[in-house]
Each structure stands twice: as structure tokens, then as C-alpha cells.
Amino acid sequence: MKITLNRINDDYLFECTNSQGNSILLDNTTQPGAKGVSPMESVLMAVAGCSGIDVVSILKKQRQEITDFKAEVEGERIPVDDAKPFKSIKVKFLLEGNIDPKKAQKAAQLSFEKYCSVSKTLEPTVEIGYEVYVNGEIVQA
């Protein structure tokens, strides 16, 4: 796996491109007029995307009918020397459709405990939690 990063303006705007030519923009979001996401926001996006792919894949294999899927991710940061790494990340999955809530909860559990490489990478130093909502109702673990 390889990406390339190219600076595309005179400030902090970078384009990151993967081997298939797909790209995202990263920027210093503390500056006015930022045109990309911050690197730390991209980490939260990566957690959402990785676990989201897992959850959808598991539920599709179980023939669950997903009509809408969203995730909200919040990260809490703490100062460590001059950096501010994540202390904790919480993911909220919002699913709609003809979905068995127990299957949705189990899919999220499997993602974070077994499959999601992004959360597994962060896990040694970041507490990661999640909640699952199906058709507006929270699913109790």
C-alpha cells in the first residue's frame, strides 16, 4: 500500500492520492479558508470508513436490508508534549431499514474486535467505543 502527497498551493494544502488515482485534500484547518480536512479529521474519517465497510459487509451477507447508513465519529484529544493525540474515539452508527438490531450490534462488535484495521492500529493507545442505532432506537449491547 502506498500513497503520494503533493503540496498544491503556497500554504498547507496537500493532495493525497492512492495507487488507483483516488485522492483527498488535507489542509491546516486552523487557517482561514482551508480547502481540505485536517490530518486528525482524516483519522476519524478512516475509523468511520473502515468500520462502516465492515458493518455493511457483514449485514449484507446476512441479507439485512439497509436503506440508509451513517456514522458520526467524535474524538477527544489530550496534550502530550507538543502534540495532541487522540485519547478516545466514539463511533455512532445510524442504520435504517429492515435490520435485526441484534445483528447490527454484533456486526459493529465484530468490526471493532476483529476486522477494522484502522481501529486495531489505534487501539493500543486510544480507547474506542461505539453505539448502534437501528431505525432511531439505540441497540443495547
Side-chain angles (χ1 to χ4, degrees):
M1 179 180 302
K2 179 180 176 182
I3 65 105
T4 57
L5 179 139
N6 291 305
R7 186 173 177 213
I8 58 174
N9 70 3
D10 290 337
D11 286 317
Y12 308 103
L13 185 61
F14 298 97
E15 180 179 41
C16 296
T17 307
N18 69 4
S19 58
Q20 285 112 10
N22 301 307
S23 62
I24 64 168
L25 296 178
L26 296 178
D27 206 344
N28 180 349
T29 58
T30 64
Q31 300 297 308
K35 295 191 178 6
V37 298
S38 77
M40 292 301 280
E41 289 169 334
S42 74
V43 172
L44 297 181
M45 291 176 178
V47 170
C50 185
S51 58
I53 288 169
D54 291 339
V55 171
V56 168
S57 175
I58 292 166
L59 292 175
K60 283 181 79 159
K61 287 176 185 169
Q62 296 175 338
R63 302 191 194 300
Q64 300 299 292
E65 297 174 30
I66 304 166
T67 58
D68 194 39
F69 181 96
K70 292 185 175 88
E72 297 173 359
V73 185
E74 291 186 44
E76 179 185 354
R77 298 171 69 182
I78 55 168
V80 175
D81 298 323
D82 291 332
K84 288 187 270 178
F86 286 115
K87 173 185 176 187
S88 63
I89 293 174
K90 185 169 187 180
V91 182
K92 182 192 279 189
F93 293 111
L94 306 162
L95 294 92
E96 299 284 333
N98 188 9
I99 303 163
D100 180 332
K102 289 183 177 125
K103 289 182 178 182
Q105 180 70 27
K106 183 65 175 176
Q109 178 186 351
L110 284 169
S111 175
F112 288 108
E113 289 181 3
K114 189 172 182 181
Y115 297 118
C116 179
S117 299
V118 176
S119 65
K120 290 303 222 179
T121 299
L122 299 170
E123 195 174 73
T125 57
V126 181
E127 177 187 324
I128 299 177
Y130 62 92
E131 292 179 335
V132 177
Y133 291 77
V134 174
N135 298 319
E137 300 289 323
I138 190 166
V139 180
Q140 301 297 328

Short mmCIF file of all heavy atoms in Angstrom, two decimals, residues 31-67:
data_model
loop_
_atom_site.label_atom_id
_atom_site.label_comp_id
_atom_site.label_asym_id
_atom_site.label_seq_id
_atom_site.Cartn_x
_atom_site.Cartn_y
_atom_site.Cartn_z
N GLN A 31 -6.22 27.52 9.76
CA GLN A 31 -6.05 28.69 8.92
C GLN A 31 -7.37 29.03 8.23
O GLN A 31 -8.11 28.13 7.84
CB GLN A 31 -4.97 28.42 7.86
CG GLN A 31 -3.62 28.08 8.43
CD GLN A 31 -3.02 29.20 9.25
OE1 GLN A 31 -2.94 30.34 8.78
NE2 GLN A 31 -2.63 28.91 10.47
N PRO A 32 -7.66 30.33 8.05
CA PRO A 32 -8.89 30.71 7.34
C PRO A 32 -8.86 30.22 5.90
O PRO A 32 -7.81 30.20 5.27
CB PRO A 32 -8.90 32.24 7.41
CG PRO A 32 -7.58 32.67 7.92
CD PRO A 32 -6.87 31.48 8.47
N GLY A 33 -10.03 29.80 5.41
CA GLY A 33 -10.15 29.38 4.03
C GLY A 33 -9.60 28.00 3.72
O GLY A 33 -9.33 27.69 2.56
N ALA A 34 -9.43 27.16 4.73
CA ALA A 34 -8.92 25.81 4.50
C ALA A 34 -9.81 25.09 3.48
O ALA A 34 -11.02 25.21 3.51
CB ALA A 34 -8.87 25.03 5.81
N LYS A 35 -9.18 24.35 2.57
CA LYS A 35 -9.91 23.68 1.49
C LYS A 35 -9.91 22.16 1.63
O LYS A 35 -10.39 21.46 0.76
CB LYS A 35 -9.31 24.07 0.15
CG LYS A 35 -9.49 25.55 -0.14
CD LYS A 35 -9.14 25.88 -1.56
CE LYS A 35 -9.32 27.29 -1.98
NZ LYS A 35 -9.67 28.29 -1.05
N GLY A 36 -9.36 21.65 2.70
CA GLY A 36 -9.32 20.21 2.93
C GLY A 36 -9.63 19.90 4.37
O GLY A 36 -9.92 20.80 5.16
N VAL A 37 -9.56 18.65 4.70
CA VAL A 37 -9.76 18.23 6.09
C VAL A 37 -8.40 18.19 6.78
O VAL A 37 -7.35 18.07 6.13
CB VAL A 37 -10.45 16.85 6.17
CG1 VAL A 37 -11.82 16.89 5.56
CG2 VAL A 37 -9.61 15.76 5.54
N SER A 38 -8.43 18.29 8.11
CA SER A 38 -7.17 18.20 8.84
C SER A 38 -6.72 16.74 8.88
O SER A 38 -7.54 15.82 8.76
CB SER A 38 -7.33 18.73 10.26
OG SER A 38 -8.01 17.78 11.08
N PRO A 39 -5.43 16.50 9.06
CA PRO A 39 -4.97 15.12 9.19
C PRO A 39 -5.67 14.36 10.32
O PRO A 39 -6.01 13.18 10.15
CB PRO A 39 -3.47 15.26 9.45
CG PRO A 39 -3.11 16.53 8.74
CD PRO A 39 -4.29 17.44 8.98
N MET A 40 -5.95 15.03 11.43
CA MET A 40 -6.62 14.35 12.54
C MET A 40 -8.08 14.06 12.20
O MET A 40 -8.62 13.02 12.59
CB MET A 40 -6.50 15.16 13.83
CG MET A 40 -5.08 15.22 14.38
SD MET A 40 -4.36 13.60 14.74
CE MET A 40 -5.10 13.25 16.33
N GLU A 41 -8.74 14.95 11.46
CA GLU A 41 -10.10 14.65 10.98
C GLU A 41 -10.07 13.44 10.05
O GLU A 41 -10.98 12.61 10.07
CB GLU A 41 -10.70 15.86 10.26
CG GLU A 41 -11.06 17.00 11.17
CD GLU A 41 -11.39 18.28 10.42
OE1 GLU A 41 -10.90 18.48 9.27
OE2 GLU A 41 -12.15 19.10 10.97
N SER A 42 -9.02 13.33 9.25
CA SER A 42 -8.93 12.20 8.33
C SER A 42 -8.78 10.88 9.09
O SER A 42 -9.24 9.84 8.61
CB SER A 42 -7.80 12.39 7.32
OG SER A 42 -6.53 12.19 7.90
N VAL A 43 -8.18 10.92 10.27
CA VAL A 43 -8.09 9.71 11.10
C VAL A 43 -9.49 9.29 11.54
O VAL A 43 -9.85 8.10 11.46
CB VAL A 43 -7.17 9.93 12.33
CG1 VAL A 43 -7.25 8.75 13.29
CG2 VAL A 43 -5.74 10.16 11.89
N LEU A 44 -10.31 10.25 11.97
CA LEU A 44 -11.69 9.93 12.35
C LEU A 44 -12.47 9.40 11.15
O LEU A 44 -13.26 8.46 11.27
CB LEU A 44 -12.39 11.15 12.95
CG LEU A 44 -11.81 11.71 14.25
CD1 LEU A 44 -12.63 12.90 14.72
CD2 LEU A 44 -11.73 10.64 15.33
N MET A 45 -12.26 10.00 9.98
CA MET A 45 -12.91 9.53 8.77
C MET A 45 -12.49 8.10 8.45
O MET A 45 -13.31 7.29 8.00
CB MET A 45 -12.58 10.45 7.60
CG MET A 45 -13.20 11.81 7.70
SD MET A 45 -12.62 12.82 6.31
CE MET A 45 -13.52 14.33 6.64
N ALA A 46 -11.22 7.79 8.66
CA ALA A 46 -10.71 6.45 8.39
C ALA A 46 -11.36 5.42 9.32
O ALA A 46 -11.71 4.32 8.88
CB ALA A 46 -9.19 6.41 8.52
N VAL A 47 -11.54 5.78 10.59
CA VAL A 47 -12.23 4.87 11.52
C VAL A 47 -13.66 4.64 11.05
O VAL A 47 -14.13 3.50 10.99
CB VAL A 47 -12.21 5.42 12.97
CG1 VAL A 47 -13.12 4.61 13.88
CG2 VAL A 47 -10.79 5.43 13.53
N ALA A 48 -14.36 5.72 10.68
CA ALA A 48 -15.74 5.60 10.22
C ALA A 48 -15.83 4.76 8.95
O ALA A 48 -16.69 3.88 8.83
CB ALA A 48 -16.34 6.99 9.97
N GLY A 49 -14.95 5.01 8.00
CA GLY A 49 -14.98 4.28 6.74
C GLY A 49 -14.64 2.81 6.89
O GLY A 49 -15.33 1.94 6.34
N CYS A 50 -13.60 2.53 7.66
CA CYS A 50 -13.17 1.14 7.85
C CYS A 50 -14.25 0.33 8.56
O CYS A 50 -14.64 -0.75 8.11
CB CYS A 50 -11.87 1.12 8.63
SG CYS A 50 -11.13 -0.51 8.83
N SER A 51 -14.74 0.84 9.67
CA SER A 51 -15.76 0.11 10.43
C SER A 51 -17.08 0.09 9.65
O SER A 51 -17.81 -0.90 9.69
CB SER A 51 -15.95 0.72 11.82
OG SER A 51 -16.33 2.07 11.75
N GLY A 52 -17.38 1.16 8.92
CA GLY A 52 -18.60 1.19 8.12
C GLY A 52 -18.60 0.13 7.04
O GLY A 52 -19.61 -0.55 6.81
N ILE A 53 -17.47 -0.05 6.37
CA ILE A 53 -17.34 -1.10 5.35
C ILE A 53 -17.59 -2.46 6.00
O ILE A 53 -18.30 -3.31 5.45
CB ILE A 53 -15.97 -1.03 4.66
CG1 ILE A 53 -15.90 0.19 3.73
CG2 ILE A 53 -15.67 -2.32 3.89
CD1 ILE A 53 -14.52 0.51 3.21
N ASP A 54 -17.00 -2.68 7.18
CA ASP A 54 -17.19 -3.95 7.88
C ASP A 54 -18.66 -4.19 8.20
O ASP A 54 -19.20 -5.27 7.92
CB ASP A 54 -16.41 -3.97 9.20
CG ASP A 54 -14.92 -4.01 9.03
OD1 ASP A 54 -14.43 -4.41 7.95
OD2 ASP A 54 -14.22 -3.65 10.00
N VAL A 55 -19.31 -3.21 8.81
CA VAL A 55 -20.70 -3.37 9.25
C VAL A 55 -21.61 -3.64 8.05
O VAL A 55 -22.44 -4.56 8.08
CB VAL A 55 -21.17 -2.15 10.07
CG1 VAL A 55 -22.68 -2.21 10.34
CG2 VAL A 55 -20.40 -2.07 11.40
N VAL A 56 -21.47 -2.86 6.99
CA VAL A 56 -22.31 -3.06 5.81
C VAL A 56 -22.04 -4.43 5.20
O VAL A 56 -22.97 -5.16 4.84
CB VAL A 56 -22.09 -1.93 4.77
CG1 VAL A 56 -22.73 -2.27 3.44
CG2 VAL A 56 -22.63 -0.61 5.31
N SER A 57 -20.79 -4.82 5.10
CA SER A 57 -20.44 -6.12 4.52
C SER A 57 -21.06 -7.27 5.31
O SER A 57 -21.65 -8.19 4.74
CB SER A 57 -18.92 -6.27 4.47
OG SER A 57 -18.56 -7.55 4.03
N ILE A 58 -20.93 -7.21 6.62
CA ILE A 58 -21.48 -8.28 7.48
C ILE A 58 -23.00 -8.33 7.35
O ILE A 58 -23.58 -9.41 7.19
CB ILE A 58 -21.05 -8.06 8.95
CG1 ILE A 58 -19.54 -8.27 9.09
CG2 ILE A 58 -21.83 -8.97 9.90
CD1 ILE A 58 -18.94 -7.76 10.40
N LEU A 59 -23.65 -7.18 7.39
CA LEU A 59 -25.11 -7.16 7.31
C LEU A 59 -25.62 -7.59 5.94
O LEU A 59 -26.65 -8.25 5.83
CB LEU A 59 -25.66 -5.79 7.70
CG LEU A 59 -25.48 -5.42 9.17
CD1 LEU A 59 -25.95 -3.99 9.43
CD2 LEU A 59 -26.19 -6.40 10.09
N LYS A 60 -24.90 -7.24 4.88
CA LYS A 60 -25.30 -7.68 3.54
C LYS A 60 -25.21 -9.20 3.43
O LYS A 60 -26.09 -9.84 2.84
CB LYS A 60 -24.42 -7.02 2.47
CG LYS A 60 -24.79 -5.57 2.21
CD LYS A 60 -23.92 -4.95 1.15
CE LYS A 60 -24.41 -5.38 -0.20
NZ LYS A 60 -24.01 -4.53 -1.30
N LYS A 61 -24.16 -9.79 4.01
CA LYS A 61 -24.02 -11.25 3.98
C LYS A 61 -25.17 -11.93 4.73
O LYS A 61 -25.52 -13.06 4.43
CB LYS A 61 -22.68 -11.66 4.58
CG LYS A 61 -21.51 -11.37 3.68
CD LYS A 61 -20.19 -11.70 4.33
CE LYS A 61 -19.05 -11.26 3.43
NZ LYS A 61 -17.75 -11.31 4.12
N GLN A 62 -25.73 -11.22 5.71
CA GLN A 62 -26.85 -11.75 6.49
C GLN A 62 -28.19 -11.35 5.88
O GLN A 62 -29.23 -11.51 6.51
CB GLN A 62 -26.75 -11.26 7.94
CG GLN A 62 -25.51 -11.77 8.64
CD GLN A 62 -25.35 -11.19 10.03
OE1 GLN A 62 -25.90 -10.13 10.36
NE2 GLN A 62 -24.59 -11.88 10.86
N ARG A 63 -28.15 -10.79 4.69
CA ARG A 63 -29.35 -10.40 3.94
C ARG A 63 -30.22 -9.37 4.68
O ARG A 63 -31.45 -9.40 4.58
CB ARG A 63 -30.16 -11.61 3.53
CG ARG A 63 -29.40 -12.61 2.68
CD ARG A 63 -30.32 -13.63 2.09
NE ARG A 63 -29.68 -14.80 1.52
CZ ARG A 63 -28.81 -14.87 0.53
NH1 ARG A 63 -28.38 -13.77 -0.01
NH2 ARG A 63 -28.33 -16.01 0.08
N GLN A 64 -29.56 -8.47 5.39
CA GLN A 64 -30.27 -7.38 6.05
C GLN A 64 -30.45 -6.26 5.02
O GLN A 64 -29.54 -5.99 4.22
CB GLN A 64 -29.49 -6.89 7.27
CG GLN A 64 -29.26 -7.96 8.33
CD GLN A 64 -30.54 -8.49 8.89
OE1 GLN A 64 -31.26 -7.79 9.59
NE2 GLN A 64 -30.86 -9.74 8.60
N GLU A 65 -31.59 -5.60 5.03
CA GLU A 65 -31.90 -4.56 4.04
C GLU A 65 -31.59 -3.18 4.63
O GLU A 65 -32.38 -2.63 5.40
CB GLU A 65 -33.36 -4.66 3.63
CG GLU A 65 -33.69 -5.96 2.93
CD GLU A 65 -35.18 -6.10 2.65
OE1 GLU A 65 -35.86 -5.08 2.45
OE2 GLU A 65 -35.64 -7.26 2.64
N ILE A 66 -30.45 -2.62 4.25
CA ILE A 66 -30.02 -1.31 4.74
C ILE A 66 -30.50 -0.26 3.74
O ILE A 66 -30.10 -0.26 2.59
CB ILE A 66 -28.49 -1.24 4.86
CG1 ILE A 66 -27.96 -2.36 5.76
CG2 ILE A 66 -28.06 0.14 5.37
CD1 ILE A 66 -26.46 -2.55 5.66
N THR A 67 -31.39 0.64 4.19
CA THR A 67 -31.86 1.71 3.30
C THR A 67 -31.08 3.01 3.54
O THR A 67 -31.07 3.88 2.68
CB THR A 67 -33.36 1.97 3.48
OG1 THR A 67 -33.62 2.29 4.86
CG2 THR A 67 -34.17 0.74 3.08
#
